[in-house]
Amino acid sequence: TDGHWGEAAIEFVVDAGLMNGVGDGTSFAPNMNLTRGMVVTVLYRDNGSPKQDFKGTFLDVADGQYYTAASEWAYANGIVNGTGFDDWGVPYFSPDRDITRQELATMFKRYADFKYVDTTVGAADIASFPDSASVADWATDAVKWAVGVGLITGKGGGGAATLSPTDKAMRAEFATIIKRFKEADFEYKLVYNSPVVQSTYTEKPYAKVENADIYVSVDGSDSNPGTIDKPLATFTAANAKVEELKKTAKDEIVVAFKAGNYGELNYIGIASGTEKVPVKYCAYGDGEVIFSNGIEIKLDEFVPTDEGDLELLGDVNNKNIMKVDLSGRFDSFTGRARLFSNYGICYEARFPNKNANGNVYYTNLTTTYDERSSILVKGALPKIIASFKNIDNMKVSGYLRTGWLMDTFPVKSYDPETNILTFDFEKATFDNGFDLDSYPLMFEGRTDDMVYFHNLPDQLDADGEYYFDEETKVLYVYNPTSDHAIAVGGGMIRADGDYLSFVGLTFMGATDTAMGINGDHNTIDRCTFKYISGNQCIMSFRANYFTVENSEFSNFACGGVVSQGGGSMVYLTESHNVIRNNYFHDFGAPEFFSGSGAIGVQNSVGTVVEHNLLVDGAHGGIVFNGTIKTVIRYNILDNMVNNSQDYGAVYGGGQALRGNQICYNLIMNMTWNKPIYGVYIDECGAGQEVFGNIFYNAGAHAVTLNGGRENNIHDNICINTEDYGGDLLISNEGMYSLILDGTPELYVNHQTYSLLVADRAPLDSPGYEIWYATFPEIYDFNVDPEKVGDPDCLFTTINFLRNNLIIGSDMKFGETFEKFGVNEGNEVYSLDVNDWFVDPTHGDYTFKDGFSFGGIDQSLFGRQ
């Protein structure tokens, strides 16, 4: 009736199609008790009534009832658990049983969890309700949450309101709660399924290894026989023992390390196994088996700064600065020595403190002309430099020579009158291999490249920053909250042999490649690599049947896992190398651009990179160069290229050859206001296929082609939220400017020509027939620029863009693609496509059941 207390809510749920009348539909029955069947039916409708097959889940739910599909759906998604079981463990649903108010709160909390509401926040203290003690223990959390977010306000109103948890809920009450739920301003979680169990660094238990051939313990002795009662003490001794046992062994040799810190490894060579006698190095017991080339600094070693430090530190808040004397333990942060902590890679005290999501200090640096050794600082920088207390040992990091290669140069002098800053190149280390003759300082007009000024004690003002006094050997750290480690030693393991496996071991503190693998049939499983400041954590060279799996890599400055040279580039035989189910996070230092991806595949055939989770990387996540038939699939890349530019989360450049596939990856949360990309096929990379990927806020462009031909980009989903900016799909002309200008010297330009044809096998080479059968298109080129547009010309059809779904952004094409590319079946929509997705407003881009687009199979993408 008009004026009923539930009138507005009842009209809301009826208009929304969530609740209907009872009987012949002319009565709503607001005071009728609510049943379990009614509740799941309404929630099912609210979720779009997805197609649900009858499975006979409940003993008391027959096919064809109004609540049948809803009850099956609710059980499958954890919203209901049933009301009991028969003797065989089959559940009952009790669809006609009245539901209580506390049961209803519990069901709504489960439904909210299913809808990605963050139910860990918003709970209220219900002690003010006079009957709060009568809430069942199993329902307490749900009732607190429902009250806190305003779904339940109590019966009776005012100060006399009660929770009445065991009262039967009525249909009008249910309508009211639904309306409040739909209109609530919840905090939501944007979630995705991790392909790996996210491990921690400590307490990694391994079962005690029974009947190992060799036992090693930190409290053992290398004069012992290596039994469990009399273990060896070092890796070196264990390795020698393996060589001895190989003479008579008939099956696998197992070396078991007891938990503990075994200290430094000096790139020791590992004995080779064989197919019949493989060798396994593994951990057992509680805790980690650690090999460390670094210096560990315990948190309790840090002491407060004192008055004598103030002159050095300037005006910074020294109460947050702690120090530790490293005299006799450490001399200088030269070479690749690095400081690490729970903040990840620590940085010298600097201005500005960090580059967070593109929020970095940009400046205008202009080269001067005195032997290219100086820059003119402009804009706000002179005033900033003048504010530094002491610039005697200042260094400058930034894109000083290119827009993609970060350098660090020590400062020789600064003239505040002319604002000219001169570098001391005699002290500079060109760690990246690019000298000044090849790459001089930037030209005039570069105004959008980041720059840092560091090694400044008075800028010690951000968590994790440090300053090391070279004279006193005292390390100052701003707000240390964990143990620290300094990587000081070189490489650790060199495995030149075959049939080796490393299981459950931790390697840390190397300033060079931690583990080098040069043999076949080698495996790294459940290992941890951290605090590696050198070239790579793992480097395999010309290896086949090489596997890295179930391992964790974090806080490494340069490369993670690199697989180089597997398979045959002549005969196109595959390497069978696999990098899968690993967790990479908090990696990359800006100055180590080269080789700085979490995963690198180079000059090889048939490597598979799959089911890896990559989070928070300074540079590229997965990099492939000079590869054929590399498959990069089912990986999650979250927040890549967060401290550099002109790079991609997945990057193929430097002769990314043909037949590579990038498919079914989730690439997300990348900044858009600088040139970084989800997938970047650079330097005329040709013959690549990019399909079935989801790009969610994936940089300035989801996919960028810089030249190349026969690249096939199809059936991808690109989603850009409203405030994010950027375009989500683009094809550049890149190197094709030479062709469009009619330049005849196509054969002369290596990047333009050689990369287009993929360095094809010569006619008289042993692999010619195999290459021609695999890539016939690269042998049939007509490369005369004057014939552009002819049917038989190289440039008639270049790249293919088909059946991509772009939501919330746009598509752009370079001049060459517009002339010679294939663009068909692509559709662009605004974010206002709620009829397709479950809840795009809150980040749930799950397709509603039955929706399909082009060639996209929604089942490939999982729930998120």
Side-chain angles (χ1 to χ4, degrees), residues 57 95 98 161 200 213 233 264 325 333 352 354 369 373 417 482 549 603 643 654 678 699 704 732 825 845:
T57 299
D98 295 341
T200 57
D213 299 280
E264 190 170 345
D325 189 344
F333 282 97
K354 62 181 180 179
Y369 301 96
S373 63
E417 297 295 326
S482 71
E549 58 188 352
N603 306 321
N643 209 354
T704 290
N732 280 351
Y845 289 93

Side-chain angles (χ1 to χ4, degrees), residues 762-782:
L763 181 63
D764 56 351
S765 71
Y768 170 76
E769 295 294 339
I770 298 173
W771 269 79
Y772 189 89
T774 306
F775 304 116
E777 69 276 8
I778 67 175
Y779 291 89
D780 300 323
F781 284 168
N782 180 338

Side-chain angles (χ1 to χ4, degrees), residues 262-323:
Y262 289 81
E264 190 170 345
L265 291 177
N266 292 310
Y267 219 41
I268 66 170
I270 301 298
S272 179
T274 66
E275 184 175 5
K276 291 185 177 179
V277 185
V279 180
K280 178 167 72 174
Y281 297 88
C282 64
Y284 77 90
D286 294 333
E288 287 186 280
V289 174
I290 298 174
F291 300 96
S292 174
N293 282 15
I295 296 170
E296 293 184 77
I297 306 171
K298 298 297 183 182
L299 182 60
D300 59 13
E301 293 185 61
F302 286 95
V303 298
T305 55
D306 54 39
E307 291 298 322
D309 301 312
L310 290 178
E311 183 176 351
L312 171 71
L313 300 176
D315 296 330
V316 296
N317 185 355
N318 70 309
K319 290 186 294 185
N320 290 329
I321 300 173
M322 306 290 282
K323 67 180 181 178

Side-chain angles (χ1 to χ4, degrees), residues 566-584:
S568 171
M569 302 292 283
V570 176
Y571 297 104
L572 300 186
T573 54
E574 298 190 12
S575 66
H576 303 283
N577 295 334
V578 179
I579 303 168
R580 66 183 171 212
N581 207 45
N582 301 289
Y583 180 30
F584 299 83

Side-chain angles (χ1 to χ4, degrees), residues 601-850:
V601 185
Q602 300 173 353
N603 306 321
S604 61
V605 183
T607 298
V608 176
V609 179
E610 63 182 2
H611 295 289
N612 298 285
L613 174 62
L614 293 78
V615 181
D616 298 335
H619 301 301
I622 302 173
V623 180
F624 62 105
N625 292 323
T627 63
I628 295 174
K629 296 183 178 179
T630 292
V631 179
I632 300 169
R633 65 188 180 195
Y634 303 116
N635 301 284
I636 294 175
L637 298 99
D638 185 351
N639 188 26
M640 294 295 104
V641 202
N642 63 30
N643 209 354
S644 58
Q645 57 191 32
D646 193 23
Y647 219 48
V650 177
Y651 177 85
Q655 298 187 356
L657 304 184
R658 292 178 173 260
N660 302 300
Q661 292 185 334
I662 304 165
C663 52
Y664 309 127
N665 301 284
L666 170 60
I667 301 176
M668 64 181 186
N669 298 334
M670 296 169 60
T671 186
W672 63 270
N673 59 357
K674 58 180 179 175
I676 64 175
Y677 317 108
V679 173
Y680 189 9
I681 308 299
D682 198 6
E683 298 172 347
C684 289
Q688 322 296 329
E689 187 177 14
V690 181
F691 65 97
N693 301 283
I694 295 180
F695 300 94
Y696 181 83
N697 290 347
H701 311 297
V703 180
T704 290
L705 304 179
N706 192 5
R709 56 171 281 132
E710 283 104 26
N711 293 299
N712 190 1
I713 304 168
H714 64 93
D715 298 295
N716 299 284
I717 299 177
C718 308
I719 301 168
N720 218 12
T721 54
E722 205 158 1
D723 299 328
Y724 207 75
D727 303 290
L728 274 190
L729 205 61
I730 186 169
S731 177
N732 280 351
E733 60 262 29
M735 304 298 177
Y736 283 106
S737 58
L738 293 172
I739 309 305
L740 295 173
D741 293 341
T743 304
E745 298 178 352
L746 187 60
Y747 287 96
V748 176
N749 187 292
H750 180 73
Q751 281 193 316
T752 304
Y753 175 70
S754 179
L755 294 181
L756 288 175
V757 301
D759 288 336
R760 57 189 176 183
L763 181 63
D764 56 351
S765 71
Y768 170 76
E769 295 294 339
I770 298 173
W771 269 79
Y772 189 89
T774 306
F775 304 116
E777 69 276 8
I778 67 175
Y779 291 89
D780 300 323
F781 284 168
N782 180 338
V783 293
D784 187 347
E786 294 182 1
K787 294 184 178 180
V788 169
D790 289 355
D792 61 344
C793 179
L794 162 66
F795 303 104
T796 298
T797 299
I798 295 180
N799 293 308
F800 305 89
L801 200 60
R802 295 188 173 108
N803 297 333
N804 296 284
L805 177 61
I806 297 92
I807 300 168
S809 62
D810 203 351
M811 297 172 64
K812 286 187 177 180
F813 310 102
E815 183 181 359
T816 306
F817 189 92
E818 292 280 19
K819 288 189 175 183
F820 311 120
V822 173
N823 175 13
E824 60 187 21
N826 303 290
E827 297 192 31
V828 180
Y829 294 88
S830 70
L831 281 172
D832 187 22
V833 287
N834 291 6
D835 56 326
W836 290 2
F837 301 102
V838 172
D839 192 3
T841 302
H842 301 108
D844 183 357
Y845 289 93
T846 309
F847 280 134
K848 289 183 178 178
D849 234 33

Side-chain angles (χ1 to χ4, degrees), residues 845-863:
Y845 289 93
T846 309
F847 280 134
K848 289 183 178 178
D849 234 33
F851 175 83
S852 63
F853 168 80
I856 297 172
D857 179 356
Q858 60 164 310
S859 66
L860 294 172
F861 299 109
R863 280 207 51 78

